[in-house]
Structure formats: structure tokens, C-alpha cells
Amino acid sequence: MSLTQYTHDPADAKYMSIAIEQANRSIPVEKAYCVGAALVDSNGQLLTTGFSREIPGNTHAEECALLKLDDPSVAKGATMYTTMEPCSTRLSGNRPCTDRLIEAQVARVVMGVREPPNLVQCTGIQQLKDNGIQVLVVPDVEEACLEPNRHIVNK
């Protein structure tokens, strides 16, 4: 399965750097990745950010960003920037981020890296594409996106 396409848009690089900053705020735990996210509306306005476990309840970055919205309808047509492929399966049994993004009707997901296969087999990209969401990858950020996850990726 191809990652769709790379984006070389300077705005995408800008918001990915914000997502990377968020990922670095995540406190590492044994069986969970440290991911950062930033939600941007269709006018290029940053709506919210999130990072793994920011909100109690074993929350993921994209989930936190969406939960922090006062009006969830503003996510419709927006772009979710995330350092790692949105999850399609949760070991905790919580709702996957792909389901949340589809429900929110985001238009695009711009990501840094595919989810490594260390914990689950992720099919987030395909699920998003199957639901009409454009998936793009920012080039040359893989190392920065994986750095907060060395506690899992290097095992």
C-alpha cells in the first residue's frame, strides 16, 4: 500500500513542526507511542493541538486535539497534522483515531511516519483513504517523529 503522496507545501511543514513539538511533550510509557497532533482549518488557522496522554484516559494525540474543541463541527474540512499514522486499532479497546477523524469529517491527514509494527498492525492510512480523506506525508521528518518513541522502536 502506497502512502499516497508527499507534500512539499511550506504550510504543511510548519504545522508538522508544531505536531513534532507536541509529540515531545508526551511522557513515554512502555506500550504506547508518543505522538503529537495539530488541527488546522481550511483557512490555515490553527484550531487546537494535542499529544499522547495529554488528557486522562489513555488518550491519543489526535483524540486530544479533537476533544479540546469547543465546537467539534469546526473540524469538518480541516487538516489533522500528526507525527504518526492515526491508529486503526487500540490495545486499550478505546475508539481508534481513524474512526474519530472520519466522524469529524476532516478533509486531510498530513503525517510524519507510518505506525511501526511494534504494537499492532495499523491500517489507518487505508481506512482514511477509503472514507475520502486525503493522506499526505511530510518528507524528511521521520527521524524527528520517531525520536520520542525510541523506548519502543529500538526494542
Side-chain angles (χ1 to χ4, degrees):
M1 170 178 51
S2 123
L3 284 178
T4 307
Q5 63 191 39
Y6 285 92
T7 174
H8 298 282
D9 185 327
D12 288 340
K14 169 188 169 183
Y15 290 116
M16 180 56 66
S17 70
I18 292 171
I20 291 168
E21 289 171 12
Q22 291 295 305
N24 285 308
R25 295 179 65 190
S26 300
I27 296 171
V29 296
E30 185 180 349
K31 292 196 185 267
Y33 291 112
C34 295
V35 177
L39 185 67
V40 176
D41 72 15
S42 58
N43 296 317
Q45 184 73 31
L46 180 65
L47 298 172
T48 185
T49 60
F51 59 90
S52 300
R53 296 167 299 283
E54 177 182 8
I55 298 172
N58 189 26
T59 53
H60 285 190
E62 303 92 336
E63 176 183 9
C64 289
L66 291 169
L67 287 172
K68 288 165 47 178
L69 292 172
D70 291 330
D71 177 4
S73 72
V74 300
K76 184 176 182 174
T79 298
M80 180 64 79
Y81 293 87
T82 180
T83 57
M84 191 175 288
E85 175 180 11
C87 69
S88 58
T89 304
R90 303 268 307 256
L91 292 174
S92 66
N94 291 349
R95 276 183 60 224
C97 291
T98 52
D99 291 355
R100 294 172 189 276
L101 293 167
I102 292 163
E103 181 180 276
Q105 298 180 343
V106 300
R108 302 168 69 226
V109 171
V110 178
M111 55 183 246
V113 296
R114 293 197 67 158
E115 181 173 331
N118 301 69
L119 301 175
V120 298
Q121 280 303 117
C122 186
T123 59
I125 293 170
Q126 193 61 52
Q127 286 182 12
L128 294 168
K129 288 170 51 177
D130 288 350
N131 283 275
I133 297 172
Q134 182 183 29
V135 179
L136 301 167
V137 177
V138 174
D140 304 322
V141 296
E142 182 174 345
E143 193 62 36
C145 292
L146 289 176
E147 184 57 37
N149 297 291
R150 294 296 174 207
H151 64 290
I152 295 175
V153 177
N154 284 342
K155 282 190 173 187

